[in-house]
Amino acid sequence: MGAQLRVYKRRIKSVTATKKITKAMEMIAASRIVKAQRQVAASTPYATELTRAVTAVATGSTTNHALTTEAENPTRAAILLITSDRGLAGGYSANALKAAEQLTERLHGEGKEVDAYIVGRKGVSYYGFRERKVTESWTGFTDNPTYADAKMVAAPLIAAIEKDTAEGGVDELHIVFTEFVSMLTQTPVQNRLLPLSLEQAKEETATKDEILPLFDFEPSAEDVLDALLPRYVESRIYNALLQAAASKHAATRRAMKSATDNAGELIKSLSRLANAARQAEITQEISEIVGGASALADATAGSDK
């Protein structure tokens, strides 16, 4: 019985140490969410206004720019998938991977080849384990992305869509990331970045009863698009990276809180079992003492006769 009690005590000690770790991770994730939310709030207006500017240039001119013109028969698409570098975030990366799989199947159904661009070790590991080709990947900055990281990711994607498909280019660029809705809700989304859908861009940036301004383009609309569209891609990717980071921290906080609560419940359960084992041990000791005293009394009584 004593050995069983020692086992319970060792398990309680182990679970208590785990609870301290998960509680600390929960607090760290909670503190990071605040910073990530501020960054998302700061970057979203810039991305929205830049989209409005690009849309205005594209709709206010007759220029057929490579980054805004639909291919007649698109045959190749690129998907930028944003996952996490670390685990312990519940189904965060798994949900993003599922959304990317659905998009890939849809594009394949449309007769398009798909090039995968991956951000985050979880996505890289997922594709590597399945021996799938990854055109390019980036890791190490998903928890705290910077604009420089977004530019690094955007550069090969812009280059790919500017090339002809015969030279390894793509006709479309899609992005899959997890949108931060609230502390409790993070939703995987699929957006097409390029070619820019003007109708969708107008819907995303329009406000009620808004009168859109008129623009003059210097030196030309094509030159303005050449300058604005790379910034547009970079800003949208940066905003997606920030949204994903905030979502990851929220998912980590929720997962660690659940783990901390479960550890607390397990400690209570083990404590009850340890108390029961201790009570059984005490009862057995008392029974042995009483039995020994009774046997001694009987032996003494027999010797007196």
Side-chain angles (χ1 to χ4, degrees), residues 203-250:
E203 292 177 2
E204 291 178 356
T205 60
T207 58
K208 186 177 180 181
D209 300 328
E210 180 184 24
I211 299 176
L212 296 177
L214 298 176
F215 291 90
D216 290 328
F217 312 123
E218 293 183 0
S220 68
E222 185 173 0
D223 290 334
V224 173
L225 284 175
D226 285 338
L228 281 182
L229 276 165
R231 306 290 86 77
Y232 158 76
V233 175
E234 291 167 5
S235 67
R236 296 306 294 259
I237 290 177
Y238 181 51
N239 184 258
L241 288 171
L242 293 176
Q243 294 266 6
S247 299
K248 189 267 178 184
H249 294 318

Side-chain angles (χ1 to χ4, degrees), residues 15-16 18-19 22 258-268:
V15 175
T16 300
T18 301
K19 182 181 177 181
T22 57
S258 177
T260 301
D261 294 341
N262 291 339
E265 292 298 322
L266 183 57
I267 290 171
K268 290 180 182 179

Side-chain angles (χ1 to χ4, degrees), residues 4-5 7-16 262-278:
Q4 186 178 13
L5 182 59
V7 169
Y8 287 136
K9 287 183 176 180
R10 281 198 299 268
R11 291 190 62 188
I12 290 172
K13 184 178 180 180
S14 174
V15 175
T16 300
N262 291 339
E265 292 298 322
L266 183 57
I267 290 171
K268 290 180 182 179
S269 177
L270 291 172
S271 296
R272 285 194 293 266
L273 292 173
N275 291 336
R278 178 58 180 163

Side-chain angles (χ1 to χ4, degrees), residues 46-182:
Y46 175 76
T48 300
E49 290 303 319
L50 196 53
T51 302
R52 285 161 57 90
V54 173
T55 304
V57 177
T59 56
S61 68
T62 58
T63 301
N64 291 326
H65 196 276
L67 302 186
T68 58
T69 304
E70 296 275 355
E72 292 185 2
N73 296 304
T75 59
R76 198 176 192 89
I79 295 178
L80 174 61
L81 169 62
I82 300 176
T83 62
S84 173
D85 284 322
R86 303 178 183 181
L88 301 177
Y92 165 77
S93 292
N95 292 334
L97 288 165
K98 182 178 179 181
E101 291 284 9
Q102 294 172 347
L103 176 59
T104 301
E105 290 179 5
R106 178 169 65 80
L107 293 174
H108 283 160
E110 296 172 358
K112 301 172 185 174
E113 297 182 30
V114 176
D115 291 345
Y117 293 78
I118 312 295
V119 174
R121 291 189 179 91
K122 289 297 180 180
V124 173
S125 298
Y126 179 88
Y127 276 70
F129 180 77
R130 288 159 180 78
E131 298 182 350
R132 297 183 185 178
K133 181 182 177 181
V134 176
T135 305
E136 198 156 349
S137 62
W138 303 267
T139 60
F141 55 81
T142 57
D143 281 357
N144 187 27
T146 64
Y147 196 82
D149 297 323
K151 290 184 68 174
M152 178 177 61
V153 174
L157 295 168
I158 296 172
I161 203 164
E162 288 178 332
K163 291 180 183 177
D164 188 84
T165 52
E167 300 175 353
V170 297
D171 298 311
E172 297 176 359
L173 169 59
H174 299 260
I175 183 170
V176 178
F177 66 99
T178 306
E179 182 181 20
F180 180 85
V181 180
S182 68

